[in-house]
């Protein structure tokens, strides 16, 4: 390659520009997410997949329920035990909520749901513990269920009311829990840009696609923000991990 055609100089310019851009991006990523990623890496390196028993159980449960709800006869039992509807009495909805968290939408591909659960539940379980992860997931799911009932009560003309046809569908799956867990982990590690991005994404989802799922995701996010504020105010929040934490990524 001749030095007279300008390509070596252009290449050096692009290379220098890329390095100049990559440095701030890398530093921002380490400051924002270095601590939780480092904690996940330490736990998985020490315990392997056994470090995330709740995540493994959730994945097995989702696959099993997906298979069962496509079998004749068994699908009715899946719906009776884990199918939550806005028209159900509260006591039935509460009894079905734990299982409903893992009942996938039969019309959607399961691989995307499994990827969300593996990544987000896995990060939450290794940083929060299984008990707190499950508690946050159930809280977000109940917040979504409560919103569906409110929307049905207020009617299409009320504040945040949705058409009745949108509220009579089966309301199951871990999507609201995934959003809530991601937001809770971000708040716990003071990754404020990540938390803001999650909330902004939920608002955009509601504005662009107005349906029950979007509002339930936003309701779950609102519940987590309230929970975080309450824990901070009462001193019940778990100790905030050190933010640097990025050293573990370079070892």
């Amino acid at each position: 390659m001749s030095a007279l055609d300008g390509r070596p100089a252009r290449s050096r310019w692009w290379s220098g520009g890329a390095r100049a851009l990559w440095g701030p991006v890398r530093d921002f990523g380490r400051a924002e997410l270095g601590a939780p990623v480092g904690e996940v890496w330490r736990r998985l390196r020490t315990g392997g997949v056994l470090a995330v028993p709740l995540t493994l159980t959730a994945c097995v449960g989702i696959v099993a329920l997906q298979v069962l709800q496509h079998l004749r006869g068994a699908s009715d039992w899946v719906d009776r035990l884990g199918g939550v509807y806005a028209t159900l009495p509260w006591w039935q909805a509460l009894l079905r909520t734990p299982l409903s968290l893992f009942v996938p939408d039969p019309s959607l591909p399961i691989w995307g749901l499994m990827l969300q659960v593996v990544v987000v539940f896995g990060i939450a379980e290794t940083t929060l513990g299984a008990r707190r992860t499950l508690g946050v997931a159930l809280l977000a799911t109940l917040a979504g269920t409560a919103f569906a009932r409110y929307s049905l009560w207020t009617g299409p003309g009320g504040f945040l009311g949705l058409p009745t046809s949108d509220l009579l569908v089966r309301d199951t799956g871990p999507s609201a829990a995934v959003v809530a867990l991601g937001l809770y982990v971000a708040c716990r590690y003071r990754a404020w840009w990540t938390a803001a991005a999650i909330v902004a994404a939920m608002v955009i989802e509601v504005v662009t696609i107005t349906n029950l799922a979007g509002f339930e995701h936003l309701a779950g996010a609102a519940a987590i923000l309230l929970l975080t504020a309450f824990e901070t105010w009462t001193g019940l929040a778990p100790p905030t991990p050190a933010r640097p934490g990025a050293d573990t990524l370079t070892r």
Side-chain angles (χ1 to χ4, degrees):
M1 182 182 296
S2 173
L4 299 178
D5 60 7
R7 280 180 292 180
R10 188 182 305 115
S11 176
R12 288 195 299 271
W13 184 85
W14 278 108
S15 177
R19 285 196 297 269
L21 179 63
W22 169 246
V25 171
R26 179 191 58 197
D27 294 341
F28 173 79
R30 286 183 173 179
E32 184 77 0
L33 298 174
V37 172
E39 182 65 20
V40 171
W41 173 248
R42 283 194 298 272
R43 294 293 183 89
L44 292 179
R45 185 175 58 182
T46 302
V49 295
L50 296 180
V52 286
L54 175 62
T55 303
L56 292 177
T57 302
C59 290
V60 172
I62 289 171
V63 172
L65 290 169
Q66 176 75 339
V67 172
L68 288 174
Q69 69 182 351
H70 282 90
L71 295 178
R72 183 178 301 177
S75 60
D76 290 338
W77 282 104
V78 172
D79 194 59
R80 291 179 184 179
L81 296 176
V84 173
Y85 299 85
T87 54
L88 281 177
W90 258 114
W91 67 271
Q92 285 189 6
L94 290 175
L95 287 177
R96 296 182 182 187
T97 292
L99 187 62
S100 74
L101 183 61
F102 307 108
V103 177
D105 187 332
S107 64
L108 296 179
I110 194 173
W111 64 266
L113 180 62
M114 293 289 289
L115 180 62
Q116 293 178 31
V117 170
V118 168
V119 174
V120 181
F121 269 68
I123 291 174
E125 187 173 5
T126 52
T127 55
L128 305 175
R131 183 179 300 178
R132 189 174 291 267
T133 296
L134 185 58
V136 169
L138 290 174
L139 174 63
T141 303
L142 289 174
T145 299
F147 171 81
R149 290 170 177 274
Y150 161 78
S151 188
L152 185 64
W153 170 78
T154 194
F159 177 68
L160 299 181
L162 293 173
T164 304
S165 58
D166 291 350
L167 300 170
L168 300 181
V169 298
R170 192 178 76 180
D171 183 20
T172 60
S175 58
V178 166
V179 172
L181 287 169
L183 181 59
Y184 188 83
V185 171
C187 289
R188 185 188 177 215
Y189 282 88
R190 298 182 180 177
W192 303 124
W193 286 103
T194 302
I198 293 173
V199 174
M202 296 306 100
V203 173
I204 293 173
E205 179 187 16
V206 166
V207 172
T208 57
I209 307 175
T210 305
N211 57 19
L212 178 60
F215 275 107
E216 288 192 332
H217 297 167
L218 194 57
I224 294 310
L225 292 177
L226 290 174
L227 172 63
T228 303
F230 174 78
E231 288 182 336
T232 302
W233 181 61
T234 58
L236 297 176
T240 301
R243 287 209 49 196
D247 294 341
T248 57
L249 301 179
T250 58
R251 290 177 184 174

